[in-house]
Every structure is written in structure tokens, then in C-alpha cells.
Amino acid sequence: MRFFKGTRFGTTGLRLAAVAGLAAVLGACHGTDLAGVKDLDPQGSEFNAQLYAGYIELSSNELAEYDYRDSDGFAMKAAAAARGDDVRPTAVDARMIAPDKQEELSKARGRLMTMLYGSGKAKAPAIAARAQITFECWLQEQEEGHQPGDISDCRNAFYGSVIAAEVAMRPKREPAPEPEPAPEPEPSYTTYYVVFFDFDSSELSNAAKQTLDEAAETALAMRPYKIIIRGHTDRAGPETYNMGLSERRALAVAGYMIDQGAGRFVIDAEGLGESEPIAKTADNVRDGRNRRVEVTLSE
């Protein structure tokens, strides 16, 4: 018997064309069961409808080769499938199989049964039915044993079908949850500013005001715990005088910051005189790097 690879089993109500010479064969004493079942309207599940169509095809193929016994057997299984019965694949020991072929066929049938009575019939009815029909084809051809090409075709079709059904039975993976949106990065603020002064002056230059505008704007955005202002001088002049000058510079910066809206925060303004120079110089040396006020926004 030749099983045509790639054949698709139809849906409920599929009718297969009669093979050539069928009328003459039906008049004999065997092979008559197909005539009574090939026009049935299958009842029950989609799996049974597909199984009915497959057994009708097997029966037709065997009838075309004058194998009346197998044609009738497959026709009877088609009729049972059409009624909605639980039609199981033929047992391996129900056929005369060569001993060296029995183990593989028995394992294949066990795999088929696991698939069918798992969730294969429900999840992949057409593929599951094809797996059962191709197993029947393989088993029948193996019993005959004289058409190695047909045996191989049916065997390969079975494994392809049962694997496809097993894949269809696998639980669907739930899509991975959408990742939580990354938190907005904490804003980065400049927290240290420094402004410089002319010699013996506490007046703010335009450049100094521009720097302090930026410091006040940052303070309003970041809301610091405290604004620390420290005034400094160079080492020219008496130390006592320089202490007062550094305090006037610190207060000038604090007043400007307050005018720019930073007065809502704690402001700690202090003069340190010439005690913490940036540039280490000898006493009484003028150095613009040391005439400065440092502003720190403390969180």
C-alpha cells in the first residue's frame, strides 16, 4: 500500500473520490465495507472527523491494491471514527511484525498514545489524527514488508506528525512582563562656586554676579539644607583688617544670593581673613587667587 506523503485530511464532510475499478471490486465477496462508510457525515470532535478522513484514504489505497482485508479493517475504523467512538491505533501484536521491528513500533505506539491521550487531540486535532493514520500506515506496510520505500515514507511521516503534535501540546509561555520603567536619574547639581574680588574691595563684579545667579538658581532647584559662604583675602595688609574685609565680602555674596531668592534657605556666612589662602605666598604679597568667596550648597 502506498501512503501519499503530504496528504491533508479534510474537515467534517470530506469525501474522497472513488478509485478506478472500484465498482468491479465491490461486487466481490471482500472489500465491500468501504462503499458503506465513505459517504458518512462524521459526528463528534474535529479529531474524529480528521481520523475518519484518514482511515477512508487508507482503506481506499488498500482497495486499489486488492488488499481487501486491510481495506475492510480501515473502513471499519473510519465508520467508528464517524460515530464519534474512541478509535485507538492498532496494537503492534495484532499484526505479524518481524521481531527486529517490533521494539521500535511498540515505542512509537506508546509515544503516540501519550500524545493522543494527553492533550494532542484537543490542541492539534488534525496533526494528532495524521500521526495516528501514518502510524497505521507504517504498521501495515511493515507487516507486508516488501515495499521499503513505502515503509520509510510512512515511518517518516509518523515521526514528523507526532513531533509536531507534541510541540503544539507544550504550554504557551506567558509573555515576559514589561520591565518597570527605569527611575529617573537623580539630577546632578553643581554645589561649589567661587567668585573673586579686586584688591581691597568687597564689590561684586559682573562676572561674580553671573556666577552667583547660577548658584542661586541651583539652590532653588535642589533645595539645599544650608548655603555655606566663606570669605577670604590675600596676605597684603594687616591680618585684623583682612578679617573684616573677608567678612564684608562674605556678606556681599550672601546679600546678593538673598536678593536672587535664596533667602528661604539657611545661609551661614563667615569671613576667614587670610588664614586659608589658595596660593601660598609670603606675608604682604598681593595675589588675586586668594581674594575670593566660596559658596557651597550643602545637602
Side-chain angles (χ1 to χ4, degrees):
M1 181 274 284
R2 177 179 299 169
F3 184 83
F4 293 94
K5 295 186 293 181
T7 300
R8 292 189 178 183
F9 305 120
T11 57
T12 301
L14 176 67
R15 303 294 179 264
L16 300 177
V19 296
L22 180 59
V25 175
L26 292 178
C29 60
H30 297 288
T32 57
D33 289 334
L34 176 61
V37 300
K38 71 184 186 71
D39 292 320
L40 297 178
D41 185 13
Q43 304 299 309
S45 67
E46 174 67 12
F47 171 78
N48 275 60
Q50 299 288 343
L51 203 61
Y52 165 77
Y55 277 120
I56 287 292
E57 183 166 1
L58 290 177
S59 178
S60 299
N61 290 340
E62 292 309 304
L63 186 61
E65 294 185 356
Y66 308 106
D67 182 350
Y68 304 124
R69 184 198 68 162
D70 284 325
S71 177
D72 285 348
F74 289 139
M76 290 300 94
K77 287 202 165 193
R83 290 193 302 269
D85 294 350
D86 179 16
V87 181
R88 301 196 171 203
T90 302
V92 175
D93 59 9
R95 287 189 179 272
M96 298 180 64
I97 303 298
D100 62 329
K101 304 297 181 182
Q102 291 177 8
E103 182 178 0
E104 183 185 12
L105 280 163
S106 295
K107 289 181 178 178
R109 187 179 185 277
R111 183 174 180 177
L112 174 62
M113 293 292 285
T114 298
M115 180 273 290
L116 292 174
Y117 295 94
S119 58
K121 293 181 182 182
K123 289 189 174 181
I127 302 172
R130 177 172 174 79
Q132 180 163 335
I133 295 302
T134 51
F135 175 79
E136 296 278 19
C137 173
W138 176 18
L139 187 64
Q140 190 269 339
E141 289 290 348
Q142 191 65 67
E143 182 183 48
E144 291 181 351
H146 58 79
Q147 294 177 303
D150 287 352
I151 294 172
S152 178
D153 287 347
C154 294
R155 177 181 179 274
N156 292 340
F158 164 74
Y159 281 118
S161 298
V162 77
I163 290 171
E166 289 166 348
V167 169
M169 291 166 59
R170 292 174 184 169
K172 292 184 179 179
R173 292 183 179 179
E174 293 295 328
E178 291 292 329
E180 292 292 329
E184 292 292 329
E186 291 292 329
S188 177
Y189 298 110
T190 300
T191 59
Y192 174 78
Y193 300 85
V194 60
V195 296
F196 296 93
F197 292 83
D198 290 338
F199 178 71
D200 195 23
S201 173
S202 60
E203 295 292 325
L204 296 172
S205 66
N206 289 334
K209 290 178 180 180
Q210 184 175 352
T211 299
L212 295 176
D213 286 342
E214 293 177 9
E217 183 177 349
T218 302
L220 293 172
M222 69 175 285
R223 305 179 65 82
Y225 167 71
K226 182 187 292 186
I227 300 176
I228 302 171
I229 299 174
R230 296 291 180 260
H232 303 271
T233 68
D234 58 23
R235 300 195 67 190
E239 185 175 342
T240 302
Y241 178 82
N242 284 340
M243 178 60 73
L245 178 59
S246 69
E247 290 174 351
R248 292 192 296 274
R249 287 173 175 170
L251 291 174
V253 169
Y256 189 85
M257 292 280 290
I258 291 171
D259 290 342
Q260 305 311 307
R264 68 188 66 182
F265 308 112
V266 175
I267 297 179
D268 181 359
E270 181 181 7
L272 299 177
E274 60 183 63
S275 64
E276 295 183 6
I278 291 177
K280 304 298 183 181
T281 66
D283 193 20
N284 291 319
V285 173
R286 297 182 182 184
D287 193 312
R289 292 172 294 177
N290 293 331
R291 298 191 296 266
R292 72 197 191 278
V293 170
E294 297 171 331
V295 178
T296 303
L297 306 181
S298 178
E299 296 186 270

